[in-house]
Every structure is written in structure tokens, then in C-alpha cells.
Amino acid sequence: MGIEICAVGGYGEVGKNMTAIRVDDEVVICDLGIHLPNWIRFTEHDEGEVVRYSRKKLIDEGAIPDDSIINDWRAKVVALVPSHAHLDHVGAVPFLARRYECPIFGSPFTMEVLKTILHDERIVLPNELKTVLVGSRVRISQKIELEFIHMTHSTPQTTMIVLHTPYGGVLYGCDFKIDDSPTLGPKPDYAALERAGKQGLACAMVDSLYADHKGKTPSEAYAKELLREVMFGENFRGHGLIVTTFSSHIARLASIVEFAKKLKRKPIFLGRSLSKYTTAAQEAGLIKFDDVEIVKYGRKVRRRLREIERQKGEYLICMTGHQGEPNAVLSRIADGKLRFHFDKGDAVLFSCHVIPAEINRQNRQVLEKKLADQGVRMYRDLHVSGHGRQDDIRQLVSLCKPKMLIPMHSEPPMMDAFCEVSKQMGYKIGETLFPVRNGDRLKIV
Ligand SMILES: [Zn+2]
């Protein structure tokens, strides 16, 4: 008996995160995510309609984790716990959750996003959805108490999950960056992390996506300044001004709306995923987008674009399509599928990085070529990541001092880089440091 983890997804790859943690005869699953590039490749021809995908097909396509590797633990699962609202952490819940007879626990924003996905996909889950306040603890069985610790990342109410057990704590720390100047929501809950460490953490699984980057990830406040410099430093008067960013990045969207108002432009959000996340943020009581027009559906997007085209200088348009996704609003405009004529001097601001996957690089290249051909001014990389670099990792580890470390959410080179950083902190491969791969099981205690 004791604690054992099974690396189901996200170990040696970026995406489809899923970790099963067994405590005696009970199992908690942290995250059930999709693999975004594989998901997009698989679904890009759907043209937005609701399509039923089978679990098996999605697993075969590499779009969701292959949870058959924990079939022997299936009846033991007592909780499903998505750590935050990003799709590579919560997006597979609609396809996998029904296999487990247990509730789903998550922060208010995460659960609102999940409800919206279920509603949009017309999926009804038998699992009970339990909303948990960030910063609280929930006892789910005699042996396991879950703690949801607030952490900064690039979507609201991201949590680090601690399983408190009779054998010590297990920290699921994915995703995170340490941001002392967040533009929405509080700083990380350092006190809770320190307390968890003092109580004794047997093990921590940690986001290692940026472990090959030296230094510290800049604050979200810095990304806001990057945007401010372009939006106020350049003269866009009378021209179309389009910003595209991650729909789940509510803090960034709030900055964009703030600047739109200062520029005396009306903010408008166009696209399904923008509508999904901003509605969830409002439902969770995080923010009000009262003076933003949010347009979700295709026909209305089409009509509003035609109207805006005649008075471009009065709007700041935020739209989906920052990765060049073929079905997103920006790509469809560039393709001529949605009527919106670009004039010379109109600008598109990419408040994002290209997510490093071949399909994204190709999609963005195609999109940028089309926009350039239409005379659009482009501004790229007005963004900072939500993933911690080496100094963030060091800071987290020194705060909560886990006995054992496991890197996750990255490919082997980044996992190796994580191991180098950990070794400098005294961890030893095979003794206290375990770069496990999908399918591996590891006895912790
Ligand atoms: Zn994330």
C-alpha cells in the first residue's frame, strides 16, 4: 500500500496532461487534458458544428490521454481534479470522466469553463460537478484531503493541488509561473505552499515546459506594457485595430479592454472561444465585461464585421485566431470567407507566441502571408508566457521542499533541463528525482 503515481499523459510530451495518484486503495486523478495540436489537426474540418467523437478514436489520434493504462485502478478513483481551465488540463473531461464513478472538483472559473464546454458539445456527464473555492480544503475520504492553492499562470484561478494523506502530502504543480505583479487576481499563495512543505511533501510533480529557459518568466504586468507601447506608441487613428490572444487569458483581455477605452474605441470580442471563456469568467464573478460586445455565433459575427468595416476607427476588435487556426475568425477574414476588407495601415496585434508545434508554425505562416499580401501591419509576440523558467522552478521547490521531484508537461529536452536545475538543488536521479514517461508507475512511499 502507500502512495503510487501513474504518469498517464503529459510526461515526455506537451499536452494531454493526466496523472493518477493512488493512496492505498483510492485514486485521485489530477487533470484530464487534450493534446491541442493533435486535437486541432483532428477537428479542423468540422466547420464548428457539434460532432460526436468516441473516446477510442480520440485516443488513437493522440488527442486525449490513453487512460486504459490505469484500467486496474478504475474502480478505485474517488476524484477527478482539473487544476485549471486550460484545455490541455480540462479538455478531455467530457470524453473520459464518465468512466469514473466519482465527482469532479475544480475552482469556480475552471468549473464554469467545463460547464460551457459540456453545454456547447451537448454532453451530459453523470459525474457530480463540485465547485471548490480557491484556497480551501476538501476532505474526499477518510485518508485524503484535497487543498487548492492559488497560483499565478495565464488563466484565472489556477490551482496547485495538494493531496494530504497519512503518508505525507503530494503536490500537483502544473501549470505555474511565480508572478508578484499579476494584473488580475492575487499573487501566489506563498504561505499555503510553505505550510504544505512544513507539513511534509513526499513528492511534487512540476510544470517543466520552460525549464530550459534561464532566469525568471516576466510578470503579466510586462506583457501589458508591451501591448501599451504598441497601442499608444503607434498611430492607428482611423484604421482597423485587431488584437488576437488566448481566449482563456482573461487578464490580458482585461488589459486590452482597458486600452480600448483609453483609445476611445469600442471593444468587441468575436468568436466562440472568446465568448466561452469571457462568459465563464463573468459567471465565476471574476470580472465584468459589461461594456464589451461579445459575439459568439458565425452569422452574427459576419453581420457585425460588415457593419464595423464601414467605421473601423471606432472599434478595437479582439478575435480568435492567434495561432492561425483555419476555422478562427482572423483566418476566415484573411481567406475571404468572412467579408472584412483590410486597408493599408490596418493593424493586427498578436498578443501571443506561436505554440511550438509544426501545425501552428505552418498555420501562422500561411495566415501572416495572407495578411501581409493585404497590406496589414503586424505586431508579433506582445506576450509573456504563463510558464515558469528556471528561477520560478527554484523558487517553488525551495518554498515547499518536496522530498521527491517529478518533471511533467514537457518533452524530454525540457525534462532533462528540469533535472539539471533540480540536481543543483541537491536532488538525485533515481533517488529523489524521477523523469518518468507516460505509462510509468512510481512508488512514492
Ligand atoms: Zn495552463
Side-chain angles (χ1 to χ4, degrees):
M1 301 301 254
I3 303 178
E4 187 178 20
I5 74 138
C6 180
V8 185
Y11 294 83
E13 63 185 347
V14 181
K16 58 183 168 77
N17 296 295
M18 182 167 174
T19 302
I21 304 162
R22 183 182 62 73
V23 181
D24 290 343
D25 53 0
E26 294 171 328
V27 173
V28 171
I29 293 177
C30 291
D31 282 343
L32 298 96
I34 58 173
H35 187 282
L36 275 165
N38 290 349
W39 174 268
I40 291 167
R41 185 171 42 75
F42 181 54
T43 60
E44 67 185 341
H45 304 297
D46 295 345
E47 299 289 342
E49 75 266 31
V50 176
V51 181
R52 278 276 171 272
Y53 304 113
S54 76
R55 166 180 163 272
K56 178 160 186 327
K57 182 76 184 149
L58 289 168
I59 289 173
D60 290 346
E61 293 291 333
I64 62 171
D66 182 1
D67 66 339
S68 60
I69 60 177
I70 51 163
N71 271 348
D72 55 326
W73 287 3
R74 195 169 150 192
K76 298 179 172 48
V77 177
V78 290
L80 307 179
V81 195
S83 60
H84 63 288
H86 281 150
L87 293 179
D88 49 346
H89 298 260
V90 71
V93 169
F95 311 103
L96 297 180
R98 66 179 65 254
R99 284 167 47 80
Y100 306 96
E101 281 182 34
C102 66
I104 304 166
F105 297 87
S107 69
F109 179 62
T110 306
M111 295 312 262
E112 284 303 328
V113 169
L114 176 58
K115 283 181 206 165
T116 318
I117 297 170
L118 293 170
H119 177 264
D120 286 355
E121 302 292 329
R122 294 182 206 145
I123 292 173
V124 179
L125 287 178
N127 315 67
E128 190 183 352
L129 304 185
K130 293 199 169 186
T131 300
V132 180
L133 291 180
V134 179
S136 67
R137 286 178 172 226
V138 185
R139 177 155 293 284
I140 53 166
S141 74
Q142 226 179 358
K143 287 181 187 158
I144 306 172
E145 192 177 29
L146 297 177
E147 182 177 6
F148 293 80
I149 298 179
H150 169 71
M151 181 41 75
T152 42
H153 180 40
S154 48
T155 199
Q157 296 189 334
T158 293
T159 56
M160 289 206 156
I161 302 154
V162 180
L163 276 72
H164 294 279
T165 83
Y167 305 101
V170 176
L171 176 86
Y172 182 81
C174 191
D175 300 340
F176 84 105
K177 76 170 175 185
I178 305 278
D179 190 345
D180 276 334
S181 309
T183 61
L184 182 75
K187 294 178 190 182
D189 190 346
Y190 295 117
L193 287 166
E194 218 172 340
R195 194 168 52 238
K198 281 196 178 127
Q199 287 170 356
L201 284 178
C203 171
M205 284 138 276
V206 176
D207 169 8
S208 57
L209 187 63
Y210 271 47
D212 57 345
H213 287 59
K214 287 192 166 42
K216 185 168 163 39
T217 300
S219 162
E220 178 57 23
Y222 180 69
K224 188 172 180 179
E225 286 312 305
L226 292 176
L227 265 174
R228 190 199 304 271
E229 261 179 40
V230 172
M231 288 169 82
F232 293 91
E234 301 277 334
N235 184 4
F236 299 113
R237 196 167 302 151
H239 287 292
L241 182 55
I242 290 170
V243 186
T244 181
T245 189
F246 299 92
S247 301
S248 56
H249 206 321
I250 304 299
R252 189 73 52 80
L253 292 170
S255 300
I256 291 165
V257 170
E258 181 190 321
F259 294 156
K261 288 180 192 161
K262 286 191 179 145
L263 287 166
K264 306 235 176 325
R265 287 176 181 252
K266 289 177 214 151
I268 179 165
F269 293 165
L270 300 180
R272 265 167 56 121
S273 72
L274 270 167
S275 164
K276 179 184 297 183
Y277 282 99
T278 52
T279 306
Q282 296 188 91
E283 290 292 326
L286 294 175
I287 193 166
K288 282 198 165 71
F289 285 120
D290 285 348
D291 31 21
V292 182
E293 184 184 345
I294 301 171
V295 187
K296 182 176 185 181
Y297 292 110
R299 203 179 309 152
K300 199 163 174 218
V301 169
R302 191 177 291 274
R303 180 164 59 77
R304 287 300 283 133
L305 278 171
R306 272 204 307 271
E307 289 160 0
I308 292 168
E309 192 185 26
R310 294 194 288 270
Q311 39 190 325
K312 284 180 192 171
E314 291 178 25
Y315 288 89
L316 188 145
I317 318 169
C318 194
M319 60 177 65
T320 54
H322 56 93
Q323 298 296 312
E325 306 91 320
N327 280 332
V329 176
L330 185 54
S331 295
R332 286 162 62 215
I333 291 175
D335 284 341
K337 289 181 184 164
L338 283 172
R339 206 188 84 186
F340 182 86
H341 180 75
F342 284 117
D343 295 301
K344 198 163 183 300
D346 287 351
V348 172
L349 279 51
F350 288 95
S351 189
C352 61
H353 293 320
V354 179
I355 300 167
E358 198 42 41
I359 188 169
N360 299 329
R361 287 191 204 98
Q362 284 172 12
N363 283 342
R364 262 290 289 269
Q365 209 176 6
V366 170
L367 172 66
E368 288 189 27
K369 166 94 175 54
K370 286 176 187 161
L371 291 174
D373 289 347
Q374 293 171 53
V376 173
R377 279 192 282 175
M378 279 175 275
Y379 299 83
R380 301 170 186 85
D381 296 325
L382 306 174
H383 180 65
V384 293
S385 170
H387 295 274
R389 299 182 187 175
Q390 293 181 355
D391 286 350
D392 301 65
I393 293 167
R394 283 191 193 98
Q395 199 177 342
L396 175 72
V397 172
S398 354
L399 259 175
C400 58
K401 300 182 179 59
K403 290 196 185 80
M404 198 183 276
L405 273 180
I406 301 171
M408 68 168 300
H409 199 312
S410 67
E411 289 166 348
M414 288 91 104
M415 294 174 88
D416 291 346
F418 180 95
C419 289
E420 286 311 309
V421 173
S422 309
K423 282 190 222 161
Q424 289 160 13
M425 299 185 80
Y427 289 87
K428 290 193 174 68
I429 295 255
E431 291 178 27
T432 51
L433 177 59
F434 294 89
V436 297
R437 295 288 189 269
N438 288 349
D440 287 352
R441 290 187 184 191
L442 182 67
K443 192 97 172 68
I444 306 291
V445 184

